[in-house]
Every structure is written in C-alpha cells, then in structure tokens.
Amino acid sequence: MADNDVIAAAKERLEQSGLPSDWLDIPVHWGVKAKEQATPENGGLRFEYLNVDVYGEVPEHWDNNTEIPRGAIPDTRTEQMGYSIFNKSEVWSDLCAGLYEDAIADRWNSSADIPWDTLEPIGSDLERAVCQIATLMSEYGWTKAQTTGRWLQEISYGYIEVKLFLGTVVFDGARLYEVWRKRALANGGGLGRGGRNWKFLPLTQSYTFSEFCVASIMHDSMLLALLRHGEQLAQTDAERKIYELCQQDIERHLTYFVDHMRYLMLREPERREEIHRYMNKAEWYLAKDGDDTLYSALAVVMGDGREGAEEAMADVAELRREQVETYLGYLRQCHLSDREDRLNEELRKWAGIAPEEEVEKIPV
C-alpha cells in the first residue's frame, strides 16, 4: 500500500474515533538519519550526531517563544512562554552538544565514587582549615547552581543544546555543594564561617547572559587554579579524589564559556567595550571581597598546621597570582588578550602584581 493510502486510511480511522488527524498532514522530514553510526566505541547515539539536515540548522535568530523543539512544526494555539534570549550569538558554542554528552558520560556520585573510608584524623588545626575550605567551596557550588539555573528560563528552545549543557552545569554545581559539605561533616569537623560573597554579585546580579559568562570565566578559572593544587592540599585520598573530579567538571564548564565568548567576539566585535566593563565589575568585586578566610585556611593547610601558616603565606600569595594568570590565559582564548593591559588595579593589588609588571602567560 502506498504511503498516501496508508495515511488516508489512518486519518479515516482517527476521525471515526473522534480523534484529530490533521497532524498526519504535516510535512515531516523523512529519511534524516544520524551522521555517525551509534556504536559503543564512538559513545553511542550522541546528541550532536543527530544535528543533520534541517535539524542541524541553528538559526541566527529564533523567533518562536514557545517550547517547540527545533525542527518541529509550530502549533499556533500554543501560549507564549516568556523567553527573552532569541539570538544565537548571545549563547551559542559549537561545542555545547558534545559537552553535554561528555557531562553525562563523566557523571560521578559523591556518595560512592569518593573513597570516604580513607578519611582519618589529621589534627585539629588541619581539620578546621580543611572544613573552612570545604564550607566556602560548597558555597560556590550552590551559588553556581542557582545562578546558572536562572538562565534556563531565559534562553529560547532554538538553542536546546545550550540549555541541555547548562542543565549539567546546574547539576555539577549542586554536586560541588554536596561533596564539599560531606567532606566538612564526615571527619569529625564541621562547617566553618560563610563567606562575605561580594565576589558573587556579578553572578547573582548579571543583567545579560554575556555578563554571567564573563563572571563565570573569572570564577571558574580561579577555582580551577586552586583545584590543580589538590595533590598538595589534599590530606587524604578522599580529598584527592574530590579535587580531581571537581577539576574535571570545572574544565568542562570553562570550555563552554570560553568557546561561547570566542564566538561572540568574532561575530559582534563591537561589543568588546561592553565585555570589558563586565570584566572590570567582576574583578573589582572579587578584589574588594578579599576572601581572606579562604586564603587563611589555605595557609594553614599549606603550612601543615597553624604554626607553619605564616611561612606558607608566600605560597598563598603565589597561588593568588597563579589564579589571575590562569584567568587571563582563558581570556586570551576568547580573543580578549587586551585584558592583560586593562586588568582592574584592585585585582592587581590583590594578586600582588605591580602596575607595570607583565603577567606571566600560563598555558591553559
């Protein structure tokens, strides 16, 4: 039986049953298949393999304000959903579909994948310091989850790959909160003092997604520089694993934020000064926050106790400098290498970088 005859027969049966049949007349894109064969060796049926033909056409502007999947036929009866971001340049990265799949494949369980049985008494000074670090790390995870989640309701469904990936960032942030809270409570210590959190204002009060991305690059790159010292900072195998897995997640987040900002700078170079204003704001708030509690606790850990903390302050100062250098390294990948000469003076002081001093170019 020909396709038209099959459809006509199906329509007749539906109409006889009192069910709508007009959807059978919609011109569906038949014959579109994944561009890669789904096998265990190539990760199975990854999302980006299905972005072919009409389904792979990501419009520069998405003019539909409903939850219609990209490639589907709109239903004019659908109510508007209130999205506010409709331009591809505002959110896009060519890597986001693959990053979403990577995030799903790399997922880990803070209950089962951390060797909690390796925790052992480490002395009251070190335990207090580790718990203070854990408190502030947990705080950042919660902040990142909440502030990222806010943008999911703003980004229209034309850019579903971005929405899917940002969903994993929300989950990763919640897990960052969870795993460090568990560390603070698991070894006889407890939660320390909360942060002042001025530094998070560019995340919590960002008016555009671009501002949120800039603040995320700053915070995530500086956190990554700290996590890379996990081998030095960890007191047990459990902490070593936490540093390793959190680093893996933050690197993936940075890949998206950096690639998106690179995409934006190439397509809308006239927004460069706007982006610099966002960076100036984020840097100023970070420097004014100071985060002295975190760095005091890090000094105790690096000094192997309270007595060695003063001597370890030189290492802490070097870590701050490395954090800023890592941040600038990621900005260079965004085609924002001119930020080095425009670095906020307060942040230069915070990192101990003299105004005329050239910042070391750390490879990222």
Side-chain angles (χ1 to χ4, degrees):
M1 184 181 274
D3 286 346
N4 289 340
D5 294 335
V6 171
I7 292 174
K11 288 181 67 175
E12 183 177 353
R13 286 195 295 272
L14 288 170
E15 289 165 0
Q16 288 173 352
S17 302
L19 296 172
S21 63
D22 56 337
W23 57 271
L24 283 167
D25 296 322
I26 292 173
V28 179
H29 302 283
W30 292 108
V32 178
K33 295 183 179 180
K35 59 186 175 183
E36 297 279 349
Q37 185 178 3
T39 66
E41 290 73 27
N42 66 4
L45 188 58
R46 290 174 63 91
F47 198 88
E48 65 266 35
Y49 296 167
L50 296 171
N51 279 348
V52 294
D53 198 71
V54 67
Y55 301 112
E57 296 173 3
V58 183
E60 294 297 325
H61 179 79
W62 179 256
D63 58 4
N64 191 295
N65 200 2
T66 72
E67 294 186 348
I68 179 177
R70 194 178 70 234
I73 307 301
D75 186 329
T76 56
R77 300 168 297 180
T78 305
E79 295 183 358
Q80 302 293 296
M81 297 303 297
Y83 298 117
S84 64
I85 297 177
F86 299 97
N87 290 331
K88 183 179 181 181
S89 61
E90 192 68 22
V91 297
W92 189 252
S93 159
D94 291 330
L95 303 177
C96 53
L99 288 171
Y100 165 74
E101 291 285 358
D102 292 343
I104 298 302
D106 294 343
R107 64 192 181 277
W108 51 278
N109 182 336
S110 73
S111 300
D113 293 333
I114 305 299
W116 295 111
D117 57 339
T118 66
L119 290 177
E120 56 187 25
I122 57 176
S124 60
D125 282 359
L126 285 174
E127 185 63 39
R128 282 179 177 273
V130 170
C131 288
Q132 182 60 59
I133 293 169
T135 300
L136 297 174
M137 297 279 262
S138 186
E139 207 165 55
Y140 178 60
W142 189 249
T143 300
K144 193 63 185 295
Q146 291 200 101
T147 55
T148 305
R150 166 196 163 194
W151 292 101
L152 291 174
Q153 65 190 15
E154 302 295 335
I155 300 171
S156 58
Y157 265 70
Y159 312 114
I160 186 61
E161 296 88 344
V162 177
K163 292 172 74 75
L164 286 171
F165 175 69
L166 291 179
T168 71
V169 175
V170 174
F171 186 87
D172 291 346
R175 189 171 51 205
L176 182 70
Y177 160 81
E178 172 197 6
V179 74
W180 284 104
R181 180 180 177 86
K182 285 179 176 177
R183 172 56 191 91
L185 301 176
N187 202 32
L191 293 167
R193 187 171 71 186
R196 188 182 186 189
N197 287 347
W198 280 23
K199 62 184 176 293
F200 293 149
L201 289 177
L203 289 172
T204 60
Q205 297 181 7
S206 52
Y207 291 103
T208 69
F209 187 70
S210 297
E211 180 177 2
F212 174 75
C213 288
V214 165
S216 294
I217 290 172
M218 184 189 75
H219 282 291
D220 282 356
S221 60
M222 292 191 176
L223 174 58
L224 182 61
L226 191 159
L227 293 171
R228 286 173 174 169
H229 284 265
E231 191 66 31
Q232 174 189 1
L233 297 171
Q235 303 300 306
T236 64
D237 286 343
E239 289 167 33
R240 215 162 277 116
K241 193 65 175 178
I242 293 171
Y243 278 105
E244 174 192 331
L245 292 173
C246 289
Q247 179 180 327
Q248 168 187 284
D249 291 342
I250 298 300
E251 285 176 340
R252 187 170 54 251
H253 301 173
L254 276 165
T255 298
Y256 164 72
F257 288 119
V258 167
D259 193 62
H260 163 60
M261 288 306 301
R262 183 190 298 122
Y263 186 93
L264 178 64
M265 286 294 92
L266 287 173
R267 282 155 183 80
E268 299 185 12
E270 69 277 6
R271 296 184 62 185
R272 178 172 292 273
E273 288 305 311
E274 172 196 346
I275 300 302
H276 275 294
R277 287 195 295 273
Y278 295 151
M279 288 187 283
N280 202 51
K281 174 182 174 182
E283 292 166 11
W284 186 89
Y285 273 112
L286 176 69
K288 284 300 183 183
D289 181 284
D291 222 356
D292 292 335
T293 302
L294 172 63
Y295 292 98
S296 175
L298 285 168
V300 172
V301 172
M302 290 179 170
D304 201 29
R306 203 176 324 189
E307 292 181 358
E310 185 174 353
E311 185 176 342
M313 285 307 297
D315 293 330
V316 171
E318 184 57 34
L319 172 59
R320 281 192 180 188
R321 184 186 182 98
E322 183 181 328
Q323 287 179 298
V324 172
E325 290 166 349
T326 302
Y327 161 58
L328 291 172
Y330 277 105
L331 291 183
R332 285 193 292 274
Q333 292 188 23
C334 301
H335 303 296
L336 289 164
S337 57
D338 54 332
R339 189 63 199 171
E340 183 176 328
D341 297 328
R342 302 175 62 167
L343 192 66
N344 184 276
E345 289 306 315
E346 295 296 330
L347 189 63
R348 279 186 174 273
K349 293 175 187 176
W350 180 85
I353 302 170
E356 69 282 355
E357 187 177 354
E358 183 176 342
V359 181
E360 181 182 351
K361 290 179 170 57
I362 291 183
V364 296

